[in-house]
Amino acid sequence: MAAETTGSGSNLPRPVVAVVRAWQRVFHGPNTIGNCWQFWAGFAIAVAALFAYPVLAGGYQASRFALFLVYAFLGLSLSVVWGYAGILSFGQVAFFGVAGYTFGIVSLNISSPLGIMGAFVGAVVAGALLSFVLGYFMFYGGVRDVYVTIITLVVTLVLETFMSQTAGDEWTIGAAPLGGFNGMPGIPELTVPIPALPGVWGSPVVLGAGDGTFYRFALVLLVATYLGLRALVNSDYGRVMVAVREDEDRTRMFGYDVERVKLAVFTFGGALAGLAGVLYAAWGNYISPGVYALTFASLPVIWVSVGGRKSLLGALVGSIALAFASNSLVGQWAFVIIGALLLVVVLFLPRGFVPAARDVVLFAWRTARRYRGGEAEGGVSESPDAAADPEVTDP
Amino acid sequence: MVNGVNLLFQFLDNFAFIVLAAAGLAIIFGIMGVINLAHGEFIMVGAYATTLANIRFGLPLLVAVPVAMVATALFGLAVERTIISGAVPNWLWKYARLGLAGGLGRLAALDAVPERAAASIDAATRRLPESPLVEPLYDRLADSMVATWGLSLILVQGARIQFGNSLDQVGTPVVPFVGETISPAQIPLLNLIVENSEFSYSAYRVSLAVIAVGVLAAVYVLFTKTDFGMRARATIQDEDTARALGVDTGRTYMATFAIGSALAGLTGALYAPTITMVPDMGTGFLVESFVAVVVGGPSVVLGTTMAGGFLGAISAAVTNLLGSTFYGRIALLLTAIVLIRFLPSGITGFVRELRERRQEAT
């Protein structure tokens, strides 16, 4: 048990205890679910299974599945912005699309491996830049609550309208025609230049969709992003974000610069959505104004609210599971089922599916322990935050 | 000169579109604090009801329009009771809970120790939460958005499954005294200025502006001159106090939602002859109405009028200037963004603040 491992009377070697403690200090906290060794065991199994997926299901299936991993970045970005900082952005797809288009334009013009890497970075920066400008415009102008939602939605629709009319020849940037409704085909795949000798670029690695390398790349990036976000939301800064979500005025009264926090989180969310956009454009070698459409803009909101917006795991699982389900649900009833699911979740599980499932698991676990005759104290030690907290001193 | 008249007609057309699309949404948002993202689909319900009543059941258009309004209002009522207020699920839960507790109690009675059985019935009922299962979505903006978005997905796809990808369209009705199209020469004062009458515009669409003004007037009368309007305004001002003074706020909300839905139905009925009848026709209405409501601000009638007038003018001017509806739409949306940024409480909210500040100064 985690409690015994970390307790003082442990018979584990000291370095192991130190590592476990450090791990807990960074990744455990009240803002995430799964603060116990059972969770991490399940997490490790899930990640291993996902890594084994291309071997078991073949490269084609894996490359299809990679799209849902890409969507998970988008879901995570909304979870950070909406679930943790309380800013309901309907415009995550705006940053997604801008980054995708930027990646397409730059990489079509400079299609060397180094150029593609530059396009990758530049596109994420473009997404972040747009969200920074938009966020500055809104938060420092006193725009709050639902008005933020509407402005972000309207920005998305402006982009859709604008990109839809770029069919003419005058809308060609270098070698990249924007293509109006038809979108931009032929976007190159992600390519990583590997330095072989100092100053010389060796053979580049193409992260193609066909052989599952793109899938693995996206998976590694996703696991790293999840862990990074977990560390973020459980840090002091994460606590301030949650405070802003819970009560903006009170947080301001305690001396925090609420506008700056919101702007920083919004920009960060924009960068993350931009990363998703780059991966999307590279995955399908294609991007079109459809990514700005109202239906696509609503998808992240759906994923995240069904999964559980106030938990990263909920957003992650919700995005992947729902994107997978709606892709596999063939036939005309797919959207009816998705819509009904959304209604059921908002009405009956407003916190989302994953937090509710966790409560059920905990309840079952505790009940089972009680009937086995254990002392039934605690069960799964779900909250070691009490032990992790004393070091925390807020400024 | 013809260009100026063109601009006027286009403005009237835009104004009517924005006002009619936004009126129902504005009422529901302003009074209940519910953002109905399925508003476009309510309009679709109205349009489909009109068309079906006209084509399938052979009702004349003048009868089909009120029929569609009633149908949409009833539909809205059902949505309010099941989803927005959660009254139906809660009612079901109440009885399911009693049944469940009874069942658990009977299960416990199998222990054959009467006292323990009675105690377990007690425990079973106590363990099931007595609080309602579903919280109403009133004033829960984000949740109401998500829920109504789910509803809109169901409605769009449901219409597609039921009626296919498109529906036959009813013909545009001929406007009395004017005819199919309208040209400057037909308008008493304008025909003195404009000799060239080559240009013409759909008379039906321009006449919708008159109906839009009528709708605004009716909403104004409803909310300022009737008992219902008084109760509705009391509910907006302070729900708890209103309830303490005997206003049945639940019923006010129910009626408000039905009235908003009826207005959406009217909009759908009026636009049914002019728009291709496809299941996702609602999205075309949603964005403009959404933006107009927010730009307009808290006062339903004045806000919608001003937003419709302002945004309609911008859109008409830019469309005429650059000769493409794409740019007109972009200009409308950009104007809305800037307006929300500088007047976060909308045009009427800004006016109200100014007035309050002036009162304080004196």
Side-chain angles (χ1 to χ4, degrees), chain B residues 7-17 205-206 208-209 316:
Chain B
L7 195 66
L8 176 72
F9 283 155
Q10 187 132 35
F11 165 71
L12 289 176
D13 189 6
N14 288 346
F15 174 77
F17 185 84
R205 293 200 62 145
V206 171
L208 288 181

Side-chain angles (χ1 to χ4, degrees), chain A residues 14-325:
Chain A
R14 291 184 73 171
V16 176
V17 173
V19 166
V20 169
R21 283 233 169 122
W23 183 269
Q24 286 183 338
R25 199 161 45 242
V26 175
F27 294 115
H28 285 190
N31 292 333
T32 46
I33 59 177
N35 297 317
C36 56
W37 71 266
Q38 287 93 337
F39 168 79
W40 291 109
F43 183 76
I45 293 170
V47 171
L50 281 172
F51 264 105
Y53 186 70
V55 182
L56 301 173
Y60 172 71
Q61 281 299 325
S63 73
R64 262 192 71 225
F65 200 83
L67 178 63
F68 313 133
L69 300 182
V70 170
Y71 286 158
F73 288 96
L74 194 55
L76 283 176
S77 83
L78 184 63
S79 171
V80 173
V81 170
W82 181 27
Y84 285 91
I87 308 162
L88 172 47
S89 158
F90 231 96
Q92 291 308 99
V93 293
F95 317 131
F96 179 91
V98 162
Y101 267 104
T102 309
F103 179 73
I105 292 165
V106 176
S107 63
L108 279 174
N109 280 306
I110 319 166
S111 51
S112 68
L114 201 58
I116 291 176
M117 264 349 261
F120 185 112
V121 175
V124 174
V125 169
L129 202 63
L130 177 65
S131 60
F132 177 82
V133 171
L134 187 61
Y136 186 81
F137 179 80
M138 292 190 302
F139 301 133
Y140 282 87
V143 179
R144 284 170 75 165
D145 304 329
V146 71
Y147 300 100
V148 171
T149 312
I150 289 161
I151 288 193
T152 48
L153 176 65
V154 173
V155 166
T156 313
L157 295 167
V158 168
L159 285 170
E160 188 203 7
T161 316
F162 179 77
M163 291 316 291
S164 298
Q165 55 90 47
T166 55
D169 283 337
E170 71 271 29
W171 295 105
T172 301
I173 300 171
L178 296 182
F181 274 120
N182 296 327
M184 231 163 76
I187 296 174
E189 280 162 339
L190 272 182
T191 310
V192 187
I194 304 290
L197 292 165
V200 182
W201 296 103
S203 56
V205 176
V206 179
L207 300 172
D211 54 357
T213 46
F214 180 83
Y215 171 87
R216 288 210 178 80
F217 175 72
L219 187 57
V220 169
L221 213 54
L222 186 62
V223 171
T225 307
Y226 173 73
L227 292 177
L229 288 178
R230 241 189 111 115
L232 172 72
V233 299
N234 285 322
S235 67
D236 289 357
Y237 203 79
R239 278 169 233 263
V240 178
M241 279 159 58
V242 172
V244 169
R245 172 188 83 195
E246 295 297 329
D247 195 328
E248 229 172 84
D249 295 328
R250 198 172 292 176
T251 315
R252 189 174 290 116
M253 207 185 74
F254 276 125
Y256 293 99
D257 189 343
V258 170
E259 277 74 35
R260 202 170 64 189
V261 173
K262 291 209 292 193
L263 180 58
V265 174
F266 195 69
T267 309
F268 180 66
L272 205 52
L275 174 65
V278 175
L279 294 175
Y280 175 82
W283 176 81
N285 311 110
Y286 173 71
I287 191 151
S288 77
V291 297
Y292 299 122
L294 197 56
T295 33
F296 192 71
S298 69
L299 284 179
V301 180
I302 294 179
W303 299 331
V304 168
S305 30
V306 170
R309 62 189 158 99
K310 291 179 184 174
S311 98
L312 294 172
L313 189 69
L316 188 73
V317 173
S319 311
I320 296 180
L322 278 185
F324 181 74

Side-chain angles (χ1 to χ4, degrees), chain A residues 82 88 90 134 136-138 140-147 149-151 153-155 157-158 160-162 164-165 171 181 294-295 298-299 301-302 305 309 331-336 338-340 342-343 346-348 350, chain B residues 29 35 37 82-84 86 89 133-135 137 140-151 153-154 157-158 160-161 283 286-287 290-291 294 324-327 329-330 333-334 336-338 340-342 344-346:
Chain A
W82 181 27
L88 172 47
F90 231 96
L134 187 61
Y136 186 81
F137 179 80
M138 292 190 302
Y140 282 87
V143 179
R144 284 170 75 165
D145 304 329
V146 71
Y147 300 100
T149 312
I150 289 161
I151 288 193
L153 176 65
V154 173
V155 166
L157 295 167
V158 168
E160 188 203 7
T161 316
F162 179 77
S164 298
Q165 55 90 47
W171 295 105
F181 274 120
L294 197 56
T295 33
S298 69
L299 284 179
V301 180
I302 294 179
S305 30
R309 62 189 158 99
Q332 46 186 9
W333 290 94
F335 272 110
V336 177
I338 302 267
L342 201 54
L343 274 181
V346 173
L347 291 184
F348 300 108
Chain B
F29 178 52
I35 295 187
L37 281 188
T82 45
I83 296 168
I84 310 292
L133 185 63
V134 178
E135 286 281 316
L137 292 172
R140 285 164 61 195
L141 295 174
D143 286 335
S144 67
M145 276 172 88
V146 176
T148 49
W149 181 258
L151 179 67
L153 288 180
I154 297 177
Q157 192 60 26
R160 189 166 287 140
I161 292 171
T283 43
L286 180 67
V287 175
F290 207 45
V291 163
V294 175
S324 156
T325 46
F326 269 128
Y327 291 113
R329 188 154 190 266
I330 291 176
L333 295 175
L334 287 179
I337 294 176
V338 173
I340 298 170
R341 161 67 171 72
F342 290 106
S345 48

Side-chain angles (χ1 to χ4, degrees), chain B residues 8-359:
Chain B
L8 176 72
F9 283 155
Q10 187 132 35
F11 165 71
L12 289 176
D13 189 6
N14 288 346
F15 174 77
F17 185 84
I18 294 173
V19 166
L20 286 173
L25 192 72
I27 289 173
I28 293 171
F29 178 52
I31 293 176
M32 306 174 66
V34 167
I35 295 187
N36 181 15
L37 281 188
H39 185 70
E41 280 61 46
F42 280 51
I43 292 176
M44 183 265 287
V45 168
Y48 269 50
T50 314
T51 311
L52 292 174
N54 185 259
I55 291 178
R56 297 254 170 101
F57 304 107
L59 294 177
L61 210 55
L62 262 183
V63 182
V65 171
V67 166
M69 272 179 85
V70 172
T72 320
L74 288 177
F75 177 72
L77 204 62
V79 168
E80 207 276 341
R81 285 291 93 184
T82 45
I83 296 168
I84 310 292
S85 72
V88 172
N90 283 341
W91 182 80
L92 289 174
W93 168 240
K94 199 173 131 199
Y95 286 94
R97 191 179 146 269
L98 291 177
L100 209 61
L104 283 179
R106 229 168 288 130
L107 208 66
L110 294 177
D111 281 355
V113 183
E115 308 89 80
R116 204 198 286 174
S120 5
I121 293 177
D122 223 34
T125 15
R126 228 180 301 127
R127 189 160 295 158
L128 291 169
E130 222 171 298
S131 58
L133 185 63
V134 178
E135 286 281 316
L137 292 172
Y138 309 139
D139 274 323
R140 285 164 61 195
L141 295 174
D143 286 335
S144 67
M145 276 172 88
V146 176
T148 49
W149 181 258
L151 179 67
S152 110
L153 288 180
I154 297 177
L155 287 176
V156 171
Q157 192 60 26
R160 189 166 287 140
I161 292 171
Q162 186 62 36
F163 302 110
N165 268 327
S166 68
L167 205 64
D168 289 338
Q169 204 171 343
V170 294
T172 315
V174 175
V175 180
F177 313 117
V178 181
E180 285 280 348
T181 57
I182 188 166
S183 65
Q186 281 170 288
I187 303 172
L189 279 174
L190 278 178
N191 58 9
L192 298 176
I193 317 168
V194 188
E195 305 90 50
N196 181 359
S197 62
E198 274 170 39
F199 163 76
S200 64
Y201 210 86
S202 162
Y204 180 69
R205 293 200 62 145
V206 171
S207 70
L208 288 181
V210 179
I211 300 180
V213 173
V215 165
L216 287 171
V219 172
Y220 176 78
V221 170
L222 178 69
F223 281 100
T224 53
K225 309 283 182 213
T226 63
D227 273 3
F228 166 76
M230 195 174 66
R231 281 193 297 263
R233 282 181 294 138
T235 310
I236 314 177
Q237 292 258 316
D238 189 334
E239 198 192 329
D240 292 332
T241 311
R243 203 182 300 134
L245 289 172
V247 176
D248 185 345
T249 53
R251 191 189 288 175
T252 307
Y253 285 144
M254 201 165 87
T256 306
F257 204 83
I259 291 170
S261 308
L263 284 181
L266 175 68
T267 308
L270 292 175
Y271 278 96
T274 67
I275 283 179
T276 330
M277 299 291 288
V278 287
D280 51 5
M281 59 180 278
T283 43
F285 288 88
L286 180 67
V287 175
E288 264 84 350
S289 58
F290 207 45
V291 163
V293 168
V294 175
V295 167
S299 162
V300 172
V301 175
L302 197 63
T304 314
T305 316
M306 288 171 85
F310 194 62
L311 296 175
I314 296 267
S315 169
V318 174
T319 304
N320 252 14
L321 215 61
L322 298 177
S324 156
T325 46
F326 269 128
Y327 291 113
R329 188 154 190 266
I330 291 176
L332 184 153
L333 295 175
L334 287 179
T335 312
I337 294 176
V338 173
L339 272 178
I340 298 170
R341 161 67 171 72
F342 290 106
L343 313 173
S345 48
I347 300 176
T348 53
F350 179 67
V351 172
R352 187 176 293 176
E353 273 166 34
L354 275 187
R355 200 189 298 152
E356 274 167 14
R357 217 173 292 157
R358 199 174 304 151
Q359 271 172 357

